[in-house]
Amino acid sequence: MAGTTASTELPVPADRVWQLIGGFDSLPDWLPYIPTSEPGEGGRVRTLVNEEGGVIVERLEAFDNASRSYSYSILRAPFPVTGYLSTITVHEGATPDRSRVEWSGTFTPDGIGDDEAAALFHRIYADGLAALAHSLAG
């Protein structure tokens, strides 16, 4: 099993960040390379379409509004991994007007090495967090 974590500090209160990203179906609101998200199964599943038309289906595994965190698994995706589980969490910052967002995942590489799989998802998480910072700055 492999894994990776990316995080970013934001000059925005944690509650404001969570308001934007805390909905399981909210990726199109802040992540430009996921322009489409369709909820299913009462909101427990989301079908995402990326900019290239690739389809990713994810299941909400845990949601904790008080802790500003949710975890999800991948049911179907073009990624070379199995057993994928990811968590995104918004933490309070050092001061009330700041926050830290952490995006982590674990997975079993399938046909690629641990380091290659970790680098793939680290890039996805880091790019996503950069997009989040950009969305909140605008």
Side-chain angles (χ1 to χ4, degrees):
M1 182 159 288
T4 190
T5 300
S7 65
T8 190
E9 300 281 333
L10 299 169
V12 179
D15 284 340
R16 180 166 166 233
V17 177
W18 184 243
Q19 184 176 24
L20 176 61
I21 73 171
F24 188 56
D25 196 40
S26 71
L27 288 180
D29 296 341
W30 60 274
L31 201 54
Y33 56 84
I34 301 291
T36 304
S37 177
E38 294 293 330
E41 295 187 26
R44 294 181 310 274
V45 171
R46 63 185 177 195
T47 300
L48 310 171
V49 179
N50 66 22
E51 291 175 322
E52 294 83 38
V55 175
I56 305 161
V57 181
E58 298 173 334
R59 175 177 298 283
L60 182 64
E61 299 292 347
F63 182 88
D64 187 333
N65 195 56
S67 295
R68 296 186 205 91
S69 178
Y70 71 80
S71 299
Y72 62 95
S73 61
I74 290 179
L75 302 177
R76 182 171 53 112
F79 304 124
V81 299
T82 59
Y84 178 95
L85 182 65
S86 182
T87 301
I88 191 162
T89 306
V90 181
H91 300 278
E92 295 284 339
T95 60
D97 61 337
R98 300 193 63 80
S99 58
R100 183 173 56 84
V101 180
E102 183 177 281
W103 199 347
S104 63
T106 57
F107 34 83
T108 300
D110 184 9
I112 63 172
D114 286 5
D115 291 344
E116 190 178 352
L120 168 69
F121 284 101
H122 190 82
R123 187 173 55 254
I124 290 170
Y125 300 161
D127 289 352
L129 293 174
L132 173 62
H134 181 74
S135 291
L136 286 164

